Amino acid sequence: MCNRYASDIRKAGIEKDYYGFDEWSETRINPFLGNAVLEVFPKSLAPILKLNSKDELQWTKMRWGLPGPPKFGATPITNIRNIKSPHWRPLLGPQHRCLVPFTAFSEYEDASPKGKKQIRWFAPPDRAMLCFAGIASEYYGDVGTKTAPNIGTHQLFSFLTTEANDLVRPVHAKAMPLVLSTEAERQEWLTAPASEIEAIQARILPTDALAILSDEEAAQYTGGYIK
């Protein structure tokens, strides 16, 4: 499952939309987040887009990982596949939808040597920003650790997964994130009735919508993240 991705606002050229200014310094440091590159891990914060009360897309920050079924300890779930589960069904309405922007995402190779996982990164061929199909909800509880609890009301998100396409399958056969690669797909995701989600999830992403990054280029997507 995808448990590490990058959301690099600067690389996507939308820093003015998100932060209100056009360019970053060469140090890649910014006063709001600490680093231009956002490498997102489970339980860390990430920028997402959600419709506000005026049906306008609005940037906000949420923490990655919705609580899973209580019978399994409510462990944070970052990737949602089984939308028929009674646990996820109440969160499938349009009011819970969000877009999760990404510039690259990773999967571990199924064929990695034992004890030494090999990570591969995928990104749009033009290195622009695409979106995952996200689900968001408010949650009261502890999203911290045993040594550093973080109890309170939290805005959390996860994203759906789907069948791996021909590019991702040789690396990770089980699944891949549900990617929204066009403006029409993004608008559909935000507004479609819950009854249509299964059909949206069943679509296979075209192979040419992503490319595998070289190790050298993938290194550019790692480093800074919001705790």
Side-chain angles (χ1 to χ4, degrees), residues 8-117:
D8 187 340
I9 303 297
R10 185 181 68 169
K11 183 175 284 293
I14 59 173
E15 57 268 36
K16 185 172 180 61
D17 293 339
Y18 189 68
Y19 297 111
F21 53 87
D22 289 309
E23 296 181 358
W24 302 94
S25 70
E26 289 303 312
T27 62
R28 297 162 70 116
I29 301 299
N30 81 77
F32 299 103
L33 299 178
N35 199 299
V37 177
L38 293 181
E39 189 180 9
V40 186
F41 293 87
K43 291 190 175 182
S44 66
L45 291 167
I48 71 161
L49 284 160
K50 203 171 188 303
L51 290 175
N52 61 22
S53 59
K54 298 179 181 179
D55 286 335
E56 299 168 335
L57 275 177
Q58 183 174 345
W59 287 100
T60 187
K61 289 183 289 186
M62 290 191 180
R63 200 171 294 275
W64 188 18
L66 286 163
K71 66 179 180 180
F72 298 121
T75 302
I77 302 296
T78 56
N79 295 210
I80 299 172
R81 182 67 182 269
N82 183 16
I83 59 172
K84 295 181 179 179
S85 164
H87 179 74
W88 299 120
R89 207 173 296 143
L91 299 180
L92 298 183
Q95 70 272 27
H96 291 291
R97 312 270 178 79
C98 67
L99 303 176
V100 183
F102 75 94
T103 41
F105 71 88
S106 68
E107 298 284 8
Y108 283 109
E109 284 194 0
D110 293 337
S112 296
K114 188 174 181 179
K116 189 177 181 181
K117 290 185 176 181

